[in-house]
Amino acid sequence: MDLELTAIQKELKAEFKAFVDKELLHQANEYDKQGFIPQELIQKLGASGYLGATIPAQFGGRGIDQISYGILNEEIGRACSSTRSLITVHSSLTAETILRWGTKAQKEKWLPLLASGTKLAAFGLSEPEAGSDAASIKTAYQEQGSGYVLNGHKKWITFSQIADLFVIIAQGINGITAFVVDRDTPGLTIKPLDGILGTRASMLGEIYLKNCEVPAENILGKIGWGLQQIVSTALDNGRYSVACGSLGIARACLEDSIHYTKTRSQFGHLLKDHQLIKQKITNMIIEVKAASLLCRNAGYLRDKKDPDSIIQTNVAKYYASRIANTIAADAVQLHGAIGCHDSLSIQRYFRDARIMEIIEGSTEIQQILIADHGIASLSSIL
């Protein structure tokens, strides 16, 4: 693997950083407090091409490579995990999945709208009784006439409060199937969800489907292949986004901690000169570097379309989300009381990091997947 970024990737990294520093870094705490990101920011994300970052130019996207896409998620995650969640659900889970499995007509109809941000998309998998166990979903579809009728209840759906388009995963006599469902479909209602620990501006909601009629042309992938095709692809894409976003949280905690130790004195010395503080900073630096290499490796393999990219994405997500929590906890400890106050971003990073070990496959699910793969084929995972 070539660790050196290309000239284009370096330019994109500088572009992403400039956007984040201007539009997100100093506004994210307010978004967290108010519980939403403003429409103005979403429009800027669309105008910059970030909502269609990996969508090919023929559909109105920027068509950037996976390493660059990882850097985009890292930079946005460094400032605002809620905004990164929009990139994840809209681009990784939904748009990229339509790009992979959609028909020619579906791609031509929806991808230009998603790439520009004209329409926002959300992914309807989780339910009150089905999270990690996706096969246990109860939302049901039945064939009716030339289409299908959906009934069920989805929960914890990121940005469902404002999404225009949903990929809904449902169970039926022919197996689990994915449907693209318009927000204006009669019988579809959204209930906002508040009180979440972290990513508080990600506008979670519950989706209720009552006799929602969906045309057969809105089936995504094949009937009965919803888990094997759609969910597996979406979660793989989402895990990469979350891994890189977790790296962004860890980086932000490290950077803020170094700055704080250079300015805060205790017992007559700057914090940076205390040995125990140096130990924490050392651990942060090493963990950030390791997570960065794992994310870069996953992106490199994803660009090559290497089959091992799937397990290496799991590895990156597992490690980066865990070290985000470790580093965020150390950053709060290092900052003391001010690290617990909402005048600084540290407490938000701490709360957001906790979410990263749960979404797109929990830490425990990753442990099972990684161990099983290693037992079956150790050489391909190392």
Side-chain angles (χ1 to χ4, degrees), residues 88-327:
T88 300
V89 69
H90 175 88
S91 299
S92 296
L93 269 70
T94 308
E96 284 195 56
T97 304
I98 292 174
L99 177 65
R100 170 76 182 276
W101 294 111
T103 64
K104 183 175 184 291
Q106 288 172 341
K107 293 176 186 178
E108 291 176 348
K109 178 179 180 180
W110 289 314
L111 289 182
L113 298 173
L114 298 180
S116 65
T118 302
K119 285 188 179 292
L120 297 180
F123 196 81
L125 174 62
S126 298
E127 297 181 359
E129 303 300 325
S132 297
D133 185 9
S136 296
I137 58 170
K138 293 183 171 60
T139 295
Y141 68 88
Q142 284 186 317
E143 193 168 0
Q144 179 175 295
S146 60
Y148 294 83
V149 174
L150 303 184
N151 285 280
H153 175 199
K154 299 295 184 180
K155 194 171 185 178
W156 315 116
I157 308 304
T158 304
F159 282 97
S160 58
Q161 293 183 32
I162 59 173
D164 305 290
L165 200 68
F166 302 94
V167 170
I168 299 293
I169 310 300
Q171 184 81 258
I173 192 171
N174 294 313
I176 293 176
T177 301
F179 299 85
V180 181
V181 183
D182 192 278
R183 185 187 187 92
D184 294 331
T185 302
L188 187 151
T189 56
I190 309 293
K191 178 183 177 182
L193 265 174
D194 297 319
I196 194 74
L197 172 69
T199 62
R200 290 180 174 174
S202 57
M203 305 178 78
L204 299 182
E206 298 180 78
I207 305 174
Y208 293 88
L209 303 118
K210 185 176 181 180
N211 297 322
C212 291
E213 297 182 10
V214 181
E217 66 192 40
N218 281 29
I219 293 172
L220 185 58
K222 295 181 180 180
I223 282 280
W225 285 70
L227 278 181
Q228 297 94 325
Q229 288 182 327
I230 309 307
V231 173
S232 62
T233 296
L235 291 181
D236 178 49
N237 294 337
R239 284 167 186 160
Y240 181 59
S241 175
V242 172
C244 297
S246 298
L247 172 59
I249 293 174
R251 265 189 56 208
C253 290
L254 170 60
E255 291 168 3
D256 286 4
S257 294
I258 288 177
H259 174 75
Y260 187 69
T261 62
K262 288 181 176 179
T263 58
R264 171 72 165 171
S265 293
Q266 289 287 278
F267 304 103
H269 297 281
L270 290 171
L271 286 182
K272 71 179 183 65
D273 296 323
H274 291 267
Q275 287 187 345
L276 289 178
I277 301 300
K278 289 182 178 181
Q279 181 188 54
K280 287 187 183 297
I281 296 298
T282 296
N283 291 340
M284 290 181 182
I285 291 170
I286 300 306
E287 288 167 343
V288 166
K289 182 64 175 177
S292 178
L293 291 173
L294 287 173
C295 289
R296 183 74 58 81
N297 178 58
Y300 171 78
L301 294 174
R302 291 170 69 83
D303 275 327
K304 288 178 59 181
K305 301 190 184 306
D306 190 310
D308 284 342
S309 68
I310 296 173
I311 193 63
Q312 294 300 339
T313 296
N314 289 336
V315 170
K317 196 274 181 182
Y318 171 74
Y319 189 81
S321 63
R322 289 180 70 231
I323 66 104
N325 276 275
T326 301
I327 292 176

Side-chain angles (χ1 to χ4, degrees), residues 4-49:
E4 179 70 16
L5 296 179
T6 66
I8 292 175
Q9 288 167 344
K10 289 177 181 178
E11 290 176 5
L12 287 171
K13 182 176 182 178
E15 175 196 324
F16 301 154
K17 183 180 186 304
F19 179 91
V20 167
D21 288 348
K22 179 181 178 182
E23 304 292 348
L24 274 174
L25 195 59
H26 304 294
Q27 296 89 335
N29 284 343
E30 185 59 32
Y31 299 159
D32 182 75
K33 292 175 185 177
Q34 67 190 18
F36 64 90
I37 61 174
Q39 186 62 34
E40 179 185 3
L41 174 61
I42 295 173
Q43 290 172 349
K44 289 179 180 178
L45 290 167
S48 299

